[in-house]
Structures are given as C-alpha cells and as structure tokens.
Amino acid sequence: MPLNEEIAFGSLLKQLRKRAGMTQRDLAAVLNYSDSLISSLENSQALPDLEVVITGFVPALGLQDDPAMAALLIERAAAARGERLPASVTLVRARRVTSDEEVDGHSDRLPLSLTELIGRREEVNLLCNRLLGHSGRLLTLVGPPGIGKTRLALAVAEGLQHHFSDGAVFVPLAESTDIVLVASAIIAAVGINDSTSKPPPVKLVESLRRKSMLLVMDNCEQIREAAPFVSELLSSCPRLVVLATSRERLHLRAEQRHHVPPLEIGAAVELFTQRAAAVDARFKLIDSNRPTVEAICERLDRLPLALELCAAQTDLLSLPQILAHLHDRRLDLLVDGAHDLPARQRTLRGAIQSSYSLLSEQERTLFRTLGVFASGFALQEFLALSRWNQASGGGDLHDASESLSTLHALIGKSLLRAETLPSGEQRFLLLEMIREFAVEQLRAHGEEEIMRQRHYATYLHFVRTADSHLRGSDATIWFARLEADLDNVRAALRWTLDEARYEDAASAIGAEQAAWLVVALHWFWSYIGYSYEGIRWLTQLLPHRQALAIDLRLATLVSFYAVARALEEFHLVELYWDELIQLLEVCQDKLLCSAGWHFISVYARDFSQAAAAYERSIVLARTAHEAPGLGAGFCLFTDRDFILVSGLWGYAEFLITRGEIARAAPIAAESLKLFQARGNRYEVANGLGTLGLLALLQGDLAQAQSLFHEAVTLATAFNIYEMLGNWQPLLGIVTLYGGNTPEARRLLNESLRLCLELKNKKLLARNCTYLAETALWEGELDQAAHWLAQSLAYHANAGAITIYEVGRLLVAARLATAQQQHRRAATLFGLAEQAHSHIHYVYAGPVRAQVDAALATVHEALAAEVFDEAFAVGQQLSLDEAFATLLVPTQVTNTVTLSTST
C-alpha cells in the first residue's frame, strides 16, 4: 500500500481498516469504542490514545505481521498528539500465523484442498493474525456468491487449527434453517458421540463448553433465525472461536466482519490460466492472448467461481468467443434493488447460465435433476434416482453407464464437485448457489414436482435399506451412511409435510409419504440421539394421522412413543394413549401389536398392568409367524426376532427390579441367546448386563463382575451412554464387594460424570447410593450421609418399589446404625422390611452380611420393647410418608464434587 510518509493518523487508520476488510463498526466492536469515535479519529476530529493504538489497534488490524506498518501507525498517533514516540514498543507476535505453517492431527475434520489457493496468501495471514490478535471470537467473511468465502475460510482454518487444542472443524449449513438443525449439523461435524435424549442445542453447549476449537460455519445466510444461537454458543463456550461465511452479516453484537474482495488482476489471470490448462493441456498464457484473458477476468469481476466456470469452457470456445459471450450476457453485480430474483443470486447467474447453456441436452437434464439433492449425494442414490426416472417413463437419463458418463462430464466442467470421505466412499455435490440455479431450471421446465417425488422415493428406499441393517452385524457402517445423508432425508420429509398442509387430496398423499419415512427412521432417531428432531417431525405429521390407514397410523403412533420414551417426557404419554389402545384392539398384525403393547408396558406405572402388557407383547411376537404380516415398508415392525428379543429383555429387567428372580432368569437367558444369534454386539451388552444383575442378586460376585465388565466394554466400544450409565455403576459396586475400593470409587466417579451429562435422575440416584455404600464400607460416615442425601434429592419415587429402592433403604438403616442413631435405624429397618415384602426377594452375599451385622448392633443397643416399637413404626410407614419425614434429605446442591477423595 503506497503511502505518503506525512500521512495523518486518521487517513492511515482509514486505509489500514479498509485493507483489513473492516467497517468502522467492526473496528469499534473490537475496541469497545463507539462508531462515532472511530469516525472522529479517521476525520482527525479526535486524538488517539497511544497505549490503545499499541495494544488495541495494532492487533485488531492484524499488524503483528507487518511491524513497519505498525510502527508507522504508532508514529502517526504520537505526531497527532504532539508527543514523542515511546522509548520502546513491544508488539505481541508470539502467536503470529502464516498460511504455510504445519497442521496437526485434527486436519481430517477440514475438507482437503485439492487445488492451490491463488492470490489470497496475504489475506489468509491477515485473517489468521486478526483472529488471534484480539478478544473477538466471531468473524464473518462476507461477500457475494462466488467470491471465494468458503475456500478462504478453509485456508484460514488450516493455518489456525494447531492453535486450538481441539482443532478446527468445518460445518456446512446448506440445509440447516433453525436452531435444532444448526446444532445437529455442528454435532455431526464435530463428531460428538452423545446419544442422550437432550435437545441438540443443550447437547452441543455441554460438549463444547470446555473445548478449545475453531468452528468454520459455512453458508450462514441460511440460518438467519438461528443466528442468535451462535452468540449463545460463544457466551457459553469461552474457548470457542467461530469463523463464518455468509452473503450478509449475521447482525450479532459480537460479530466482526471481513468483506472478501475480488482477486487482484494478476491472481485472477493466474487462476483462469491454471483452470483452463486443467481442461485443455494445450492452453498457455502468452503475450498475444494475455489482453483477452485480462479482459475476460475483468468482465467476470475477478470472482473465483466465475473464473473457474468460464475457464471450463475453453475446450469448447476460443478466448474471443468467450469474451464475446460475456459481452452478450454481462454479469449483473448490483447488490440492492428488487428485480425478478433475489440479489444474492444475481452475481453468479450469468456465469452459471453461460456454462449451463453450453451443455448438451442430456447434460442439462442431469444438471437440473441434481438440484434436488441436498448437501451432496452418494453414487448409489444418484443411480437409484436415475432408475426411478426410467421406471416412471422419463427415459431421459438412459442406462447407468450413460448417466455416469454425463455425471463425469459435469464434474469436468466444474458444475459438480467430487470428494472422497475418510471411509473411502465418494460423494458428489453442487455448490449451493449452483444448486439453487439448478432448482430454478427445474421449476422453469415444470420438472420440480416429479423430481421431488423421485428424490423422495430414492431416499425412502435408502432409509428402509439402512434400517434393515441397523440391527445387524454391520450396523456401524449403516449408521454412518444415514448420518451422511441426513440432509437429503430431511429435504424429503420437508417436501412430504409441505404436501400434507394442502387442504385437498394431496394432504392424504403427503401425510402417507411422511409417515412411511417416519416409520423407517424411528429406530435410528431413538438410538443415535436424534429424539428431539424426531419429535419435531412427528408433531408436524400427527395432526394429519386420520388420513392414514389403520396399520400405518398405529405404526406412526408407536414410533412417537418410542421416540418420546427416549426423551423421558412422560407428559407426552397422555396425548394419544386412548387412541393407541383402540388401534391395538382392531389391528390384525401381531408384530405391530406386539411393538405397541411393549411401549404400553414401558409407560405403565402399575406392576400387574405392565406385566400383563409385556406378556401380551411376547406372546404376539412368538406367534407372529402364523399371520401373513405387514409389508417390508414397516421396517422394524417386521423384524420379528428383534421385537421378540427386545420384549423378552425388557420383561426380564422389569421382573428383576421387582425381585422376581426365578421368573426373570430363564427369560433373561433366552434374550441373551437371541441377541447373540443376531450377531449385533451392541445389543448383546444389555443381555450381559441383565444376567450380571441376576448373578449379583444371587451372590455370585465373580460371575457378576465378569458379565458387567463385558457389558461395559461393549457399551464403551459403541459409545452407548445409556448402557454405560446403567451397567458401569453396578460394575463399580461389585468391584467394591470384591475388596478393590480405589477401583470401585474410580468407576463410580466416572459413572457419576456420565450420568450428570445424561441428566438421568434415576441413574444419578442409583449411582449416589453406591457412592454412599462405598463411603460406608470405608467408615467415612459424613461422606456416606452426603451421598445418600444426594441420592434422595435426585430421585425419591414412592410409586414404584424396586430392588434399588430397598437397597437405598438398607444403606440408610446401616448408616443410622453406624452413626449410633439406633432408634432411627430400627425404624428404617422396619421400613426396609415393609418395602422388601413388596418385591419378594431376599438379599444375598455381602449386602446380607452387612445388613445382619447392623441389625444385630441395633438389637443390642436398644431394649427389646423399644426396638419392637421403632421397628413397627417403620413397617407401618408408607414410602410417601418416609420420604416426607424420616428420609427427607439434607440441603444439597445438584452439582456433585468429583474427586478421588469423595
């Protein structure tokens, strides 16, 4: 930047601000100044503060990498004040970044750059230093389509990722339009393995709160309504930095902006030449054609995408023909003013149209077709959509080999990108602005409706195929495939639900199409942690459920209860309960009815009602082969083995918790055998854990430890957090009974952290009871009292007496004995005996010995009549009364101190 040595501070500040791509408001936001003060400084109407210039302006303008310019700015500031320069000035450059620095092991979360970034090196260094040079943590790269915002952001991320202990992550937001979808997109990109039922925004904040990470959020113009969530994310996660790309600013107070400029003419020529040579190896830049190339670059306003698209035509058109074509179709760069299309699309329309007009008719047809894919597609789904086209009489995509040839042609002409995932699978995608153009062409040709229908059919088939694998030995592969294509599934669902809002025959058609997708997705939603998203789609569909056939309506309601169960929002139970019962009474399909009765048993509060529902579910599943059955489109509801084994396992666990050991044992053994026969190891974890619980209750500690350890190992390998929260505390308590107290405490503290993340109060209460038991065994009575109070504060349900409730009462009685509160201990033993009588179970093993010893101590400490009176009081107390009086916890907080000493 040529400068007059006598330039005033204000003029220099203005030039440096513009060089940094900042507005006056951006600079003011960084320095906590007002816009008017920045304006006054630039107009020499206010005097700069030398210290702020050194510590604030220099890093804000990214001048750590330009000491000569930084020194000049400081010198001009001193001159404006009529002061001498400081004796010494130290510029903070310890975190200086240049774009050629090495990257670390997090680079696999950034798309690989397959081509050299041309003409942006200085800008990349400037942005890197600007992000690290001051306290601002949200920087938006703003510019028109095709200016190169995404590519520039990725280059900055590549240079910065090693400055963040958790690296940099690229998050495409093309199909994310609200907070839940934005959060889900970030969760998927970061790779957060959290299958809990918490809302995605909550899950995301909790996962990123302690991470040092750079998030590159691409296409943020798609998320205007969800933009405030970005601000909330930054305020909740102090070491998170967001680099956004958008066609317009996000309108957030914390936001700084960088307006991405077009390429300099030299860089534009270099880019055009490189891309043209990739298309035609004979192409060379020489003195005779340089003026024409420069004219083309200027006509394209030096926009990178426009240059690439235009260069792709050099194998068909000469340079003079390209230039003449651009004269005929001058690119419109207006950014305001209403025309027939949004301003954000007008910048590149001419460039895309010029490329589109040179395609063959077959290539144009395919190009328009690709507009229905959201966030890319795999080759299988592309070929499937082509087959749907042929099956419906389209006849315009021909056979697979010709479709692939046409697809390759579009890649060669830079209208389509191909990328290889870490799994080795190849995916294809249109840049979003090009996809928008393709969709417009679909509409202009009257083809959008039919192509949306074919897209829906393609992804309904894909989801059904995936579901058939999700409970098999290759489940992990198919979960990953479904995750990769979620945006396409969402687009298909959105289209069907748009159809369902029509007040005519299309309402029934749209509702039915949405229902088939929901039925195919519900197991995926429940297992992988997308329960909140599933509920959002279901609540849009259910108002139209009366238009569905009886079996499909029942399957939709059962899917609703399956997803709602994962959320533990029991108020949802009442919404459609009576309708569910009525449909079960008239449905003729045994497997579908079995699944329905299974969820009735899950939600039932009464033991006899729940047991009857479980038994009815199992009988129906066992005899289902005698009935014709539903079509394959009902997915999980046609998986007899899974429905049977899930019912058996659920019933076994239900019986065990009620002390029905003899009834539960053969059912649990059968369920594990069936789980193992299916070959899906993550299902086996629950079967092993259930048998481990049986072994523990029967006093076989060695067998219990072995089974719990195997269950925890499997749950850890598959990141199944609910299973870990269930079985790891039991492994901890068995380890305690085996005499390894330090390891037991480690397991229980680790489990407690997990249960706090899951926010599962039942599991938290159980874990705290085991920590109380551990402290009691060690004679740490204050700690035991603390953990028991925590347990009672988390969960005190008098409505269901289980082995866990009785176990907690016995811990309370033993603690009172150790505290020499003998009369209270006698009452607690009476209460435990009364609760014990409801579950028909006699404790065995180490617990029995501890209970007998404590009971003998209380007998010895009290006169016989006093003991009998106190014991009788406990026997006559209801659990409601006990929780309100005898067991009322001391005041505790819900934040547990986690350390090896607790």
Side-chain angles (χ1 to χ4, degrees):
M1 180 173 64
L3 293 172
N4 183 332
E5 290 186 358
E6 297 302 316
I7 188 172
F9 172 83
S11 298
L12 177 60
L13 175 62
K14 184 176 182 178
Q15 292 187 40
L16 291 175
R17 173 179 61 76
K18 288 186 173 182
R19 189 184 76 164
M22 302 176 79
T23 65
Q24 289 182 345
R25 178 167 295 179
D26 293 335
L27 188 55
V30 173
L31 299 168
N32 289 320
Y33 276 15
S34 66
D35 298 358
S36 60
L37 180 52
I38 297 295
S39 177
S40 297
L41 286 168
E42 290 185 352
N43 293 315
S44 300
Q45 296 171 348
L47 294 178
D49 184 308
L50 263 181
E51 182 177 352
V52 174
V53 170
I54 295 168
T55 61
F57 283 85
V58 168
L61 295 169
L63 299 180
Q64 308 98 311
D65 200 38
D66 192 347
M69 196 61 68
L72 181 60
L73 183 67
I74 297 167
E75 177 188 337
R76 294 295 88 202
R81 297 186 62 87
E83 298 176 359
R84 292 184 177 181
L85 280 171
S88 62
V89 176
T90 302
L91 299 180
V92 179
R93 303 185 62 201
R95 303 183 76 188
R96 175 177 174 269
V97 177
T98 58
S99 61
D100 56 355
E101 289 187 42
E102 293 182 1
V103 300
D104 65 7
H106 294 289
S107 59
D108 59 340
R109 292 186 291 185
L110 294 174
L112 291 176
S113 301
L114 301 180
T115 58
E116 179 188 1
L117 180 64
I118 295 173
R120 301 287 193 192
R121 177 66 61 85
E122 182 178 347
E123 195 173 4
V124 169
N125 292 341
L126 177 71
L127 289 169
C128 287
N129 285 304
R130 182 174 166 189
L131 271 172
L132 295 178
H134 49 70
S135 60
R137 294 188 293 119
L138 170 60
L139 176 60
T140 306
L141 305 186
V142 180
I147 200 79
K149 302 183 294 295
T150 300
R151 185 66 181 85
L152 178 59
L154 286 171
V156 173
E158 289 168 6
L160 284 180
Q161 59 184 333
H162 60 292
H163 283 268
F164 298 85
S165 59
D166 296 294
V169 178
F170 181 74
V171 186
L173 296 172
E175 281 297 311
S176 303
T177 55
D178 61 24
I179 291 176
V180 171
L181 293 182
V182 169
S184 297
I186 299 174
I187 287 170
V190 173
I192 296 170
N193 295 318
D194 184 350
S195 59
T196 67
S197 59
K198 293 174 284 190
V202 174
K203 186 187 301 184
L204 180 63
V205 169
E206 291 178 353
S207 299
L208 297 186
R209 184 171 286 138
R210 295 176 182 82
K211 289 188 181 296
S212 169
M213 179 179 288
L214 173 65
L215 281 185
V216 181
M217 299 178 64
D218 195 40
N219 288 323
C220 286
E221 64 272 3
Q222 306 284 337
I223 63 163
R224 292 182 62 179
E225 293 181 4
F229 175 64
V230 178
S231 181
E232 177 187 344
L233 195 60
L234 287 167
S235 64
S236 302
C237 307
R239 294 190 293 159
L240 183 70
V241 174
V242 173
L243 178 60
T245 74
S246 179
R247 298 173 192 173
E248 59 181 314
R249 63 191 182 94
L250 302 184
H251 299 278
L252 298 174
R253 286 184 300 171
E255 182 186 20
Q256 303 158 51
R257 280 158 285 159
H258 175 80
H259 291 274
V260 181
L263 293 173
E264 296 293 334
I265 185 62
V269 169
E270 181 182 356
L271 176 60
F272 183 93
T273 301
Q274 186 183 97
R275 298 297 188 265
V279 173
D280 182 356
R282 297 169 299 175
F283 183 90
K284 303 218 180 277
L285 182 68
I286 55 179
D287 289 342
S288 61
N289 67 14
R290 179 182 288 275
T292 306
V293 172
E294 289 180 348
I296 289 171
C297 293
E298 290 291 357
R299 182 61 63 179
L300 294 171
D301 284 309
R302 308 185 307 280
L303 298 176
L305 180 57
L307 292 166
E308 294 196 17
L309 289 170
C310 194
Q313 301 168 12
T314 54
D315 62 339
L316 297 176
L317 298 174
S318 67
L319 290 178
Q321 286 175 323
I322 290 174
L323 185 57
H325 181 75
L326 290 176
H327 275 291
D328 294 336
R329 294 176 176 270
R330 185 186 300 268
L331 292 176
D332 189 347
L333 295 178
L334 295 176
V335 295
D336 58 0
H339 293 268
D340 61 327
L341 292 167
R344 64 177 183 151
Q345 297 177 354
R346 301 195 57 176
T347 304
L348 287 180
R349 178 164 289 101
I352 299 171
Q353 179 66 54
S354 66
S355 184
Y356 176 75
S357 65
L358 294 175
L359 299 177
S360 69
E361 190 58 39
Q362 187 170 321
E363 290 169 344
R364 291 183 195 178
T365 300
L366 180 58
F367 174 73
R368 295 195 300 269
T369 297
L370 298 183
V372 298
F373 289 106
S375 296
F377 54 92
L379 186 60
Q380 297 94 317
E381 280 60 62
F382 164 73
L383 293 174
L385 190 138
S386 300
R387 287 193 294 272
W388 277 110
N389 189 71
Q390 297 169 44
S392 59
D396 43 6
L397 291 182
H398 305 287
D399 59 23
S401 61
E402 194 164 355
S403 296
L404 288 173
S405 176
T406 309
L407 190 74
H408 186 265
L410 293 179
I411 294 172
K413 295 176 181 179
S414 300
L415 287 171
L416 184 69
R417 285 195 328 201
E419 60 182 26
T420 303
L421 301 180
S423 63
E425 182 183 12
Q426 195 168 36
R427 286 184 67 82
F428 307 89
L429 70 156
L430 298 169
L431 294 176
E432 190 57 25
M433 62 283 291
I434 296 179
R435 187 173 84 89
E436 290 174 6
F437 179 85
V439 172
E440 289 172 6
Q441 293 302 311
L442 273 180
R443 291 171 185 158
H445 286 76
E447 299 167 342
E448 184 179 18
E449 184 66 20
I450 187 63
M451 292 314 304
R452 293 288 182 194
Q453 175 64 49
R454 293 170 189 169
H455 178 266
Y456 161 81
T458 296
Y459 281 94
L460 176 62
H461 177 75
F462 167 71
V463 173
R464 285 173 170 174
T465 302
D467 179 78
S468 69
H469 292 272
L470 293 184
R471 294 170 299 281
S473 57
D474 55 350
T476 303
I477 296 170
W478 282 91
F479 274 120
R481 284 206 62 196
L482 255 177
E483 286 265 22
D485 263 310
L486 264 184
D487 279 339
N488 275 305
V489 175
R490 288 163 178 157
L493 260 176
R494 189 176 299 113
W495 175 74
T496 62
L497 290 168
D498 284 344
E499 289 290 304
R501 284 196 288 270
Y502 297 150
E503 295 298 329
D504 55 24
S507 174
I509 296 172
E512 181 179 353
Q513 291 172 326
W516 286 125
L517 258 180
V518 163
V519 167
L521 282 165
H522 97 256
W523 172 246
F524 171 80
W525 281 335
S526 299
Y527 174 81
I528 208 67
Y530 284 97
S531 299
Y532 273 90
E533 181 176 341
I535 284 292
R536 288 176 64 248
W537 293 115
L538 278 157
T539 51
Q540 293 178 62
L541 168 62
L542 286 174
H544 304 280
R545 68 189 184 282
Q546 299 300 333
L548 305 176
I550 287 177
D551 287 348
L552 184 55
R553 177 154 51 115
L554 176 56
T556 303
L557 284 177
V558 174
S559 299
F560 171 82
Y561 280 100
V563 176
R565 177 200 182 191
L567 299 179
E568 294 189 1
E569 294 184 3
F570 290 101
H571 66 274
L572 298 174
V573 172
E574 306 301 327
L575 293 178
Y576 308 102
W577 192 252
D578 292 339
E579 183 178 352
L580 177 62
I581 299 293
Q582 292 169 7
L583 289 173
L584 284 171
E585 296 297 343
V586 299
C587 177
Q588 298 299 307
D589 186 82
K590 291 187 175 183
L591 273 183
L592 182 54
C593 289
S594 174
W597 284 109
H598 175 86
F599 285 104
I600 287 176
S601 62
V602 167
Y603 283 107
R605 303 301 177 90
D606 175 77
F607 175 85
S608 59
Q609 182 191 39
Y614 269 120
E615 290 169 1
R616 189 168 182 178
S617 173
I618 292 168
V619 169
L620 285 167
R622 288 192 191 281
T623 59
H625 62 278
E626 300 170 2
L630 299 170
F634 280 85
C635 294
L636 179 145
F637 299 115
T638 65
D639 189 343
R640 176 184 173 274
D641 289 345
F642 180 77
I643 290 177
L644 173 60
V645 73
S646 295
L648 288 168
W649 174 76
Y651 191 30
E653 186 181 45
F654 170 81
L655 291 173
I656 291 171
T657 60
R658 271 70 178 179
E660 301 284 347
I661 305 302
R663 290 172 63 187
I667 300 173
E670 183 183 2
S671 70
L672 177 59
K673 184 178 179 180
L674 289 173
F675 275 136
Q676 291 170 331
R678 289 174 59 82
N680 193 329
R681 295 176 67 223
Y682 76 82
E683 292 176 352
V684 171
N686 271 336
L688 292 168
T690 303
L691 288 183
L693 183 56
L694 278 171
L696 171 61
L697 295 176
Q698 293 170 324
D700 189 345
L701 296 186
Q703 177 72 350
Q705 179 143 17
S706 174
L707 290 165
F708 285 142
H709 183 270
E710 191 172 354
V712 167
T713 300
L714 286 173
T716 301
F718 289 98
N719 295 315
I720 312 172
Y721 296 120
E722 290 285 353
M723 286 189 190
L724 272 176
N726 200 22
W727 304 126
Q728 186 164 290
L730 286 162
L731 176 60
I733 203 67
V734 171
T735 302
L736 173 71
Y737 295 158
N740 190 345
T741 306
E743 175 63 9
R745 188 179 295 285
R746 184 193 69 79
L747 287 166
L748 290 171
N749 278 332
E750 189 177 290
S751 299
L752 187 60
R753 292 186 183 94
L754 174 63
C755 293
L756 284 167
E757 292 177 7
L758 292 172
K759 297 189 183 302
N760 187 314
K761 292 185 177 181
K762 289 183 180 179
L763 294 180
L764 277 167
R766 192 184 308 169
N767 207 108
C768 288
T769 298
Y770 293 152
L771 282 165
E773 171 95 358
T774 304
L776 191 56
W777 276 56
E778 295 182 300
E780 299 287 344
L781 302 189
D782 289 343
Q783 283 295 317
H786 165 76
W787 288 119
L788 182 61
Q790 285 277 13
S791 175
L792 292 165
Y794 278 125
H795 185 69
N797 180 13
I801 299 176
T802 68
I803 57 171
Y804 302 114
E805 291 300 324
V806 175
R808 180 162 57 175
L809 292 175
L810 291 173
V811 169
R814 288 164 50 209
L815 175 60
T817 303
Q819 293 171 326
Q820 298 185 0
Q821 299 173 5
H822 297 120
R823 187 179 183 90
R824 182 170 180 271
T827 303
L828 285 167
F829 276 120
L831 177 62
E833 179 66 25
Q834 183 254 124
H836 207 176
S837 67
H838 288 280
I839 62 170
H840 312 293
Y841 172 72
V842 176
Y843 272 81
V847 174
R848 184 75 263 168
Q850 296 287 328
V851 169
D852 289 344
L855 194 56
T857 299
V858 175
H859 268 293
E860 185 178 342
L862 297 175
E865 61 275 13
V866 175
F867 176 87
D868 291 342
E869 179 186 354
F871 193 85
V873 169
Q875 285 184 308
Q876 295 164 11
L877 273 177
S878 69
L879 277 183
D880 280 322
E881 293 172 312
F883 285 135
T885 57
L886 190 64
L887 286 169
V888 62
T890 57
Q891 197 69 25
V892 295
T893 64
N894 284 339
T895 301
V896 180
T897 301
L898 300 172
S899 69
T900 55
S901 64
T902 53

